[in-house]
Structure formats: C-alpha cells, structure tokens
C-alpha cells in the first residue's frame, strides 16, 4: 500500500467526516498495525500532503515497522528531511525560541525543564527510500528537530538524548 492508495480515506478525513478515532479503525489504516502516535502524525495529519506524497509514495507502507527509540542529540544535527522540504529544518533552527513560543505553553515549559520535545517526531530509515541510502531522515517533526538544532547552536538547555519514532524495514 502506497500513500496514493489512501486517497479515499484521506478525502473523508479532509471533508471533516472522519475524526482520528474513526480513521485509526478504518481497515486500511488498522491493517498497518502502526502505533497511534505514528498513524496520527504521518497519515492522519499529512497523508494527503503533496510534498509527503512526492517524497514517500514509493514506500510500501506495509513494510515499515515503527519503534520508539532513544537517539543522541548529536545525530539530529545533520539529519535531512524529504527533498520537497529541503532547508525547512534549518529555517526553524534560525529562531528556536520563536518556534517554541508560538506553540502551546506546555511545549516551551517542556523544553526548558527537560531539554527536549513533548511529542516524539517520526524518523525513517533512508534505505526505505533509496537502497543505497544510509542513516535516518526526518519524516515528521521538522519544527521540533529545527528547534533542537537551534537550541544546540544557541547553547540553550538540550538533553543529551531524545525519543523518536523510527520507521525501519
């Protein structure tokens, strides 16, 4: 199953006829067996985003297994995102304080107190996109990763490790 195979489901979601609870129990979404947090951030929020379709439609969604992993902060400093959103992580990194303050207050508090994001972003093994690729790529959470990079650069409180959902074959 590819992202474009979910068009009927995404159309119902986009029309407001489908909340997340119904979305996650739809046979197409449920068959993936993904954690709810991944299903919501990737498919429910962005499954019909043209940039996501351009970047990730080649992946057979059934081949991805998601695991919550702990990743060193340093690994995020050069991690790319999809080609269609190239440069956006760095644009968020230029003003990390701004991108945290325009979010709900608990996000800024969590960064100050714990030095990390409140919700784990989604990373994907680059080999899923290119058999010769290596490492991880930011699939969803570009703002969060940008804030992390900016906070590191500005010597603000950053935890040494961060949780992220990682999709692998």
């Amino acid at each position: 199953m590819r992202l474009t195979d979910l068009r009927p489901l995404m159309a119902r979601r986009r029309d407001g006829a489908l909340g997340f609870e119904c979305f996650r129990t739809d046979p197409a979404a449920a068959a993936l067996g993904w954690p709810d947090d991944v299903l919501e951030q990737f498919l429910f929020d962005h499954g019909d985003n043209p940039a996501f379709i351009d970047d990730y439609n080649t992946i057979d969604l059934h081949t991805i297994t998601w695991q919550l992993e702990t990743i060193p902060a340093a690994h995020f400093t050069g991690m790319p995102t999809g080609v269609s959103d190239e440069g956006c992580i760095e644009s968020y990194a230029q003003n990390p304080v701004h991108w945290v303050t325009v979010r709900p207050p608990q996000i800024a508090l969590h960064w100050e107190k714990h030095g990390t994001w409140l919700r784990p972003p989604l990373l994907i093994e680059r080999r899923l996109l290119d058999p010769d690729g290596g490492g991880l790529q930011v699939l969803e959470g570009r703002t969060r990763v940008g804030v992390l990079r900016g906070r590191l650069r500005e010597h603000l409180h950053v935890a040494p490790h961060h949780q992220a959902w990682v999709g692998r074959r």
Side-chain angles (χ1 to χ4, degrees), residues 106-150:
Q106 65 267 29
I107 292 175
L109 180 62
H110 199 80
W111 273 106
E112 290 307 314
K113 200 171 184 183
H114 302 285
T116 191
W117 36 68
L118 194 56
R119 187 177 195 188
L122 309 183
L123 312 177
I124 194 160
E125 190 174 48
R126 296 187 80 204
R127 246 177 261 153
L128 286 164
L129 302 163
D130 174 6
D132 297 326
L136 298 174
Q137 176 170 312
V138 180
L139 181 119
E140 170 48 13
R142 296 168 304 278
T143 305
R144 286 167 271 181
V145 173
V147 166
L148 171 68
R149 287 184 191 176

Short mmCIF file of all heavy atoms in Angstrom, two decimals, residues 106-150:
data_model
loop_
_atom_site.label_atom_id
_atom_site.label_comp_id
_atom_site.label_asym_id
_atom_site.label_seq_id
_atom_site.Cartn_x
_atom_site.Cartn_y
_atom_site.Cartn_z
N GLN A 106 2.82 24.60 27.26
CA GLN A 106 3.44 23.39 27.82
C GLN A 106 4.64 22.92 26.99
O GLN A 106 5.54 22.27 27.50
CB GLN A 106 2.43 22.27 28.02
CG GLN A 106 1.80 21.72 26.77
CD GLN A 106 0.49 22.38 26.42
OE1 GLN A 106 0.25 23.55 26.74
NE2 GLN A 106 -0.39 21.65 25.74
N ILE A 107 4.68 23.31 25.72
CA ILE A 107 5.82 22.93 24.88
C ILE A 107 7.08 23.68 25.31
O ILE A 107 8.14 23.09 25.49
CB ILE A 107 5.49 23.13 23.38
CG1 ILE A 107 4.42 22.11 22.98
CG2 ILE A 107 6.74 23.02 22.52
CD1 ILE A 107 3.90 22.24 21.59
N ALA A 108 6.96 24.99 25.50
CA ALA A 108 8.11 25.79 25.97
C ALA A 108 8.56 25.32 27.34
O ALA A 108 9.77 25.19 27.60
CB ALA A 108 7.75 27.27 26.00
N LEU A 109 7.62 25.04 28.21
CA LEU A 109 7.94 24.56 29.55
C LEU A 109 8.70 23.24 29.49
O LEU A 109 9.69 23.04 30.21
CB LEU A 109 6.66 24.42 30.38
CG LEU A 109 6.83 23.93 31.81
CD1 LEU A 109 7.68 24.91 32.61
CD2 LEU A 109 5.48 23.74 32.47
N HIS A 110 8.26 22.35 28.61
CA HIS A 110 8.91 21.05 28.48
C HIS A 110 10.36 21.21 27.97
O HIS A 110 11.27 20.55 28.46
CB HIS A 110 8.11 20.14 27.55
CG HIS A 110 8.44 18.70 27.70
ND1 HIS A 110 7.93 17.93 28.72
CD2 HIS A 110 9.24 17.89 26.98
CE1 HIS A 110 8.39 16.70 28.61
NE2 HIS A 110 9.19 16.66 27.56
N TRP A 111 10.56 22.11 27.00
CA TRP A 111 11.92 22.36 26.52
C TRP A 111 12.80 22.91 27.64
O TRP A 111 13.95 22.49 27.81
CB TRP A 111 11.91 23.34 25.34
CG TRP A 111 11.71 22.67 24.02
CD1 TRP A 111 10.59 22.66 23.26
CD2 TRP A 111 12.67 21.88 23.30
NE1 TRP A 111 10.79 21.92 22.11
CE2 TRP A 111 12.06 21.44 22.12
CE3 TRP A 111 14.00 21.50 23.55
CZ2 TRP A 111 12.72 20.64 21.17
CZ3 TRP A 111 14.65 20.71 22.61
CH2 TRP A 111 14.00 20.29 21.44
N GLU A 112 12.27 23.87 28.40
CA GLU A 112 13.06 24.47 29.48
C GLU A 112 13.39 23.46 30.58
O GLU A 112 14.50 23.43 31.08
CB GLU A 112 12.33 25.68 30.06
CG GLU A 112 12.25 26.86 29.14
CD GLU A 112 13.61 27.28 28.59
OE1 GLU A 112 14.59 27.38 29.37
OE2 GLU A 112 13.71 27.50 27.36
N LYS A 113 12.43 22.66 30.92
CA LYS A 113 12.58 21.72 32.03
C LYS A 113 13.35 20.46 31.64
O LYS A 113 14.22 19.99 32.38
CB LYS A 113 11.19 21.34 32.54
CG LYS A 113 11.15 20.79 33.92
CD LYS A 113 9.70 20.67 34.37
CE LYS A 113 9.68 20.20 35.80
NZ LYS A 113 8.32 20.01 36.28
N HIS A 114 13.04 19.91 30.45
CA HIS A 114 13.59 18.62 30.06
C HIS A 114 14.58 18.70 28.90
O HIS A 114 15.24 17.70 28.59
CB HIS A 114 12.46 17.65 29.70
CG HIS A 114 11.49 17.43 30.82
ND1 HIS A 114 11.76 16.66 31.92
CD2 HIS A 114 10.24 17.93 31.00
CE1 HIS A 114 10.73 16.66 32.73
NE2 HIS A 114 9.79 17.43 32.21
N GLY A 115 14.63 19.83 28.19
CA GLY A 115 15.57 19.98 27.09
C GLY A 115 15.22 19.13 25.88
O GLY A 115 16.10 18.75 25.10
N THR A 116 13.93 18.83 25.71
CA THR A 116 13.51 18.01 24.58
C THR A 116 12.07 18.33 24.21
O THR A 116 11.41 19.13 24.88
CB THR A 116 13.68 16.50 24.88
OG1 THR A 116 13.51 15.75 23.68
CG2 THR A 116 12.72 16.02 25.96
N TRP A 117 11.61 17.70 23.17
CA TRP A 117 10.23 17.89 22.71
C TRP A 117 9.26 17.13 23.57
O TRP A 117 9.62 16.18 24.27
CB TRP A 117 10.07 17.46 21.25
CG TRP A 117 10.90 16.27 20.88
CD1 TRP A 117 10.75 14.97 21.31
CD2 TRP A 117 12.04 16.26 20.03
NE1 TRP A 117 11.71 14.16 20.76
CE2 TRP A 117 12.52 14.94 19.96
CE3 TRP A 117 12.68 17.25 19.28
CZ2 TRP A 117 13.62 14.57 19.18
CZ3 TRP A 117 13.77 16.87 18.52
CH2 TRP A 117 14.22 15.56 18.48
N LEU A 118 8.03 17.55 23.48
CA LEU A 118 6.93 16.92 24.22
C LEU A 118 6.45 15.66 23.51
O LEU A 118 6.09 14.68 24.15
CB LEU A 118 5.79 17.93 24.35
CG LEU A 118 4.68 17.65 25.33
CD1 LEU A 118 5.21 17.43 26.74
CD2 LEU A 118 3.70 18.82 25.34
N ARG A 119 6.44 15.67 22.19
CA ARG A 119 5.95 14.55 21.38
C ARG A 119 7.06 14.08 20.46
O ARG A 119 7.62 14.87 19.69
CB ARG A 119 4.75 15.02 20.56
CG ARG A 119 4.05 13.93 19.81
CD ARG A 119 2.84 14.49 19.08
NE ARG A 119 1.96 13.42 18.65
CZ ARG A 119 0.93 13.61 17.85
NH1 ARG A 119 0.62 14.83 17.43
NH2 ARG A 119 0.18 12.60 17.49
N PRO A 120 7.38 12.79 20.47
CA PRO A 120 8.46 12.29 19.61
C PRO A 120 8.16 12.48 18.13
O PRO A 120 7.04 12.20 17.67
CB PRO A 120 8.52 10.79 19.94
CG PRO A 120 7.89 10.65 21.29
CD PRO A 120 6.83 11.73 21.34
N PRO A 121 9.14 12.98 17.38
CA PRO A 121 8.97 13.11 15.93
C PRO A 121 9.08 11.74 15.25
O PRO A 121 9.40 10.73 15.90
CB PRO A 121 10.13 14.02 15.53
CG PRO A 121 11.18 13.75 16.54
CD PRO A 121 10.44 13.45 17.82
N LEU A 122 8.86 11.72 13.95
CA LEU A 122 8.96 10.50 13.15
C LEU A 122 10.20 10.57 12.28
O LEU A 122 10.40 11.55 11.55
CB LEU A 122 7.74 10.33 12.25
CG LEU A 122 6.36 10.44 12.86
CD1 LEU A 122 5.30 10.18 11.80
CD2 LEU A 122 6.20 9.51 14.04
N LEU A 123 11.02 9.54 12.37
CA LEU A 123 12.20 9.42 11.54
C LEU A 123 12.05 8.16 10.71
O LEU A 123 11.38 7.21 11.12
CB LEU A 123 13.47 9.30 12.41
CG LEU A 123 13.64 10.31 13.53
CD1 LEU A 123 14.91 10.01 14.33
CD2 LEU A 123 13.67 11.72 12.98
N ILE A 124 12.67 8.14 9.55
CA ILE A 124 12.56 6.96 8.70
C ILE A 124 13.95 6.58 8.21
O ILE A 124 14.80 7.44 7.95
CB ILE A 124 11.59 7.22 7.52
CG1 ILE A 124 11.22 5.91 6.84
CG2 ILE A 124 12.14 8.24 6.55
CD1 ILE A 124 9.96 6.00 6.03
N GLU A 125 14.18 5.29 8.13
CA GLU A 125 15.44 4.79 7.61
C GLU A 125 15.52 5.14 6.13
O GLU A 125 14.61 4.83 5.36
CB GLU A 125 15.48 3.27 7.82
CG GLU A 125 16.80 2.64 7.55
CD GLU A 125 16.78 1.17 7.93
OE1 GLU A 125 15.83 0.46 7.53
OE2 GLU A 125 17.71 0.75 8.61
N ARG A 126 16.58 5.79 5.74
CA ARG A 126 16.72 6.28 4.37
C ARG A 126 16.78 5.15 3.35
O ARG A 126 16.45 5.33 2.18
CB ARG A 126 17.94 7.18 4.26
CG ARG A 126 17.73 8.43 5.15
CD ARG A 126 18.79 9.45 5.00
NE ARG A 126 18.48 10.19 3.78
CZ ARG A 126 19.39 10.83 3.08
NH1 ARG A 126 20.64 10.84 3.46
NH2 ARG A 126 19.05 11.48 1.99
N ARG A 127 17.14 3.95 3.79
CA ARG A 127 17.18 2.80 2.88
C ARG A 127 15.80 2.46 2.32
O ARG A 127 15.68 1.83 1.28
CB ARG A 127 17.74 1.58 3.60
CG ARG A 127 19.06 1.16 3.02
CD ARG A 127 19.65 0.02 3.77
NE ARG A 127 20.61 0.65 4.65
CZ ARG A 127 21.02 0.18 5.80
NH1 ARG A 127 20.56 -0.94 6.25
NH2 ARG A 127 21.90 0.82 6.52
N LEU A 128 14.74 2.87 3.05
CA LEU A 128 13.39 2.64 2.54
C LEU A 128 13.11 3.48 1.29
O LEU A 128 12.25 3.14 0.48
CB LEU A 128 12.35 2.99 3.61
CG LEU A 128 12.24 1.98 4.75
CD1 LEU A 128 11.49 2.59 5.93
CD2 LEU A 128 11.55 0.72 4.29
N LEU A 129 13.83 4.57 1.14
CA LEU A 129 13.67 5.48 0.00
C LEU A 129 14.67 5.19 -1.10
O LEU A 129 14.38 5.38 -2.28
CB LEU A 129 13.84 6.93 0.47
CG LEU A 129 12.88 7.37 1.56
CD1 LEU A 129 13.37 8.63 2.23
CD2 LEU A 129 11.50 7.56 0.98
N ASP A 130 15.87 4.78 -0.69
CA ASP A 130 16.96 4.54 -1.63
C ASP A 130 17.77 3.38 -1.07
O ASP A 130 18.36 3.51 0.01
CB ASP A 130 17.82 5.80 -1.75
CG ASP A 130 19.07 5.61 -2.58
OD1 ASP A 130 19.25 4.53 -3.19
OD2 ASP A 130 19.89 6.54 -2.62
N PRO A 131 17.82 2.24 -1.78
CA PRO A 131 18.55 1.08 -1.26
C PRO A 131 20.00 1.36 -0.90
O PRO A 131 20.58 0.69 -0.05
CB PRO A 131 18.46 0.05 -2.40
CG PRO A 131 17.31 0.49 -3.23
CD PRO A 131 17.20 1.98 -3.06
N ASP A 132 20.59 2.37 -1.53
CA ASP A 132 21.97 2.72 -1.23
C ASP A 132 22.08 3.78 -0.14
O ASP A 132 23.19 4.17 0.25
CB ASP A 132 22.68 3.23 -2.49
CG ASP A 132 22.76 2.15 -3.57
OD1 ASP A 132 22.88 0.96 -3.21
OD2 ASP A 132 22.67 2.51 -4.76
N GLY A 133 20.94 4.29 0.33
CA GLY A 133 20.94 5.33 1.36
C GLY A 133 21.29 4.77 2.72
O GLY A 133 21.14 3.59 2.99
N GLY A 134 21.74 5.64 3.58
CA GLY A 134 22.07 5.23 4.93
C GLY A 134 21.61 6.28 5.92
O GLY A 134 21.34 7.43 5.56
N GLY A 135 21.47 5.90 7.16
CA GLY A 135 21.09 6.83 8.20
C GLY A 135 19.59 7.04 8.26
O GLY A 135 18.81 6.32 7.65
N LEU A 136 19.21 8.06 9.02
CA LEU A 136 17.80 8.36 9.24
C LEU A 136 17.45 9.70 8.61
O LEU A 136 18.31 10.55 8.40
CB LEU A 136 17.50 8.40 10.74
CG LEU A 136 17.73 7.10 11.51
CD1 LEU A 136 17.55 7.33 13.01
CD2 LEU A 136 16.80 6.01 11.01
N GLN A 137 16.16 9.88 8.36
CA GLN A 137 15.63 11.11 7.78
C GLN A 137 14.42 11.53 8.60
O GLN A 137 13.66 10.70 9.05
CB GLN A 137 15.23 10.81 6.33
CG GLN A 137 14.56 11.96 5.63
CD GLN A 137 14.42 11.68 4.15
OE1 GLN A 137 15.37 11.27 3.51
NE2 GLN A 137 13.24 11.91 3.62
N VAL A 138 14.26 12.84 8.78
CA VAL A 138 13.10 13.37 9.49
C VAL A 138 11.90 13.29 8.56
O VAL A 138 11.88 13.93 7.51
CB VAL A 138 13.31 14.83 9.94
CG1 VAL A 138 12.08 15.36 10.67
CG2 VAL A 138 14.56 14.95 10.81
N LEU A 139 10.91 12.52 8.95
CA LEU A 139 9.68 12.39 8.17
C LEU A 139 8.66 13.43 8.66
O LEU A 139 8.12 14.18 7.87
CB LEU A 139 9.12 10.97 8.30
CG LEU A 139 7.86 10.72 7.51
CD1 LEU A 139 8.11 9.63 6.49
CD2 LEU A 139 6.74 10.30 8.42
N GLU A 140 8.42 13.48 9.94
CA GLU A 140 7.51 14.46 10.55
C GLU A 140 8.13 14.94 11.85
O GLU A 140 8.65 14.14 12.61
CB GLU A 140 6.13 13.84 10.79
CG GLU A 140 5.16 14.66 11.61
CD GLU A 140 5.00 16.12 11.22
OE1 GLU A 140 5.44 16.55 10.15
OE2 GLU A 140 4.45 16.86 12.03
N GLY A 141 8.08 16.24 12.07
CA GLY A 141 8.71 16.82 13.25
C GLY A 141 9.84 17.75 12.86
O GLY A 141 10.78 17.97 13.61
N ARG A 142 9.73 18.31 11.67
CA ARG A 142 10.78 19.21 11.18
C ARG A 142 10.95 20.42 12.08
O ARG A 142 12.07 20.85 12.34
CB ARG A 142 10.48 19.62 9.73
CG ARG A 142 10.50 18.42 8.77
CD ARG A 142 9.92 18.74 7.41
NE ARG A 142 8.57 19.25 7.45
CZ ARG A 142 7.46 18.49 7.57
NH1 ARG A 142 7.56 17.19 7.66
NH2 ARG A 142 6.27 19.04 7.59
N THR A 143 9.85 20.96 12.61
CA THR A 143 9.95 22.09 13.53
C THR A 143 10.67 21.66 14.80
O THR A 143 11.57 22.36 15.29
CB THR A 143 8.56 22.67 13.86
OG1 THR A 143 7.89 22.99 12.65
CG2 THR A 143 8.67 23.90 14.74
N ARG A 144 10.29 20.51 15.34
CA ARG A 144 10.91 20.02 16.58
C ARG A 144 12.41 19.82 16.40
O ARG A 144 13.21 20.23 17.25
CB ARG A 144 10.25 18.70 17.01
CG ARG A 144 8.87 18.90 17.60
CD ARG A 144 8.12 17.60 17.73
NE ARG A 144 7.39 17.36 16.48
CZ ARG A 144 6.61 16.34 16.24
NH1 ARG A 144 6.45 15.38 17.15
NH2 ARG A 144 5.97 16.22 15.10
N VAL A 145 12.80 19.21 15.30
CA VAL A 145 14.23 18.98 15.05
C VAL A 145 14.94 20.31 14.80
O VAL A 145 16.07 20.52 15.27
CB VAL A 145 14.43 17.98 13.89
CG1 VAL A 145 15.90 17.86 13.51
CG2 VAL A 145 13.87 16.60 14.27
N GLY A 146 14.29 21.24 14.11
CA GLY A 146 14.87 22.56 13.91
C GLY A 146 15.09 23.29 15.24
O GLY A 146 16.13 23.92 15.46
N VAL A 147 14.10 23.20 16.13
CA VAL A 147 14.24 23.81 17.46
C VAL A 147 15.42 23.18 18.20
O VAL A 147 16.23 23.89 18.80
CB VAL A 147 12.92 23.68 18.25
CG1 VAL A 147 13.14 24.01 19.73
CG2 VAL A 147 11.84 24.59 17.66
N LEU A 148 15.54 21.87 18.12
CA LEU A 148 16.67 21.18 18.77
C LEU A 148 18.00 21.71 18.22
O LEU A 148 18.89 22.07 18.99
CB LEU A 148 16.55 19.67 18.56
CG LEU A 148 17.75 18.84 18.99
CD1 LEU A 148 17.90 18.86 20.50
CD2 LEU A 148 17.61 17.40 18.50
N ARG A 149 18.12 21.78 16.91
CA ARG A 149 19.37 22.28 16.31
C ARG A 149 19.66 23.72 16.73
O ARG A 149 20.79 24.07 17.05
CB ARG A 149 19.28 22.22 14.79
CG ARG A 149 19.38 20.84 14.24
CD ARG A 149 19.38 20.89 12.73
NE ARG A 149 19.21 19.57 12.17
CZ ARG A 149 19.10 19.33 10.88
NH1 ARG A 149 19.14 20.31 10.00
NH2 ARG A 149 18.95 18.10 10.44
N GLY A 150 18.63 24.55 16.70
CA GLY A 150 18.82 25.94 17.09
C GLY A 150 19.20 26.08 18.55
O GLY A 150 20.07 26.89 18.91
#
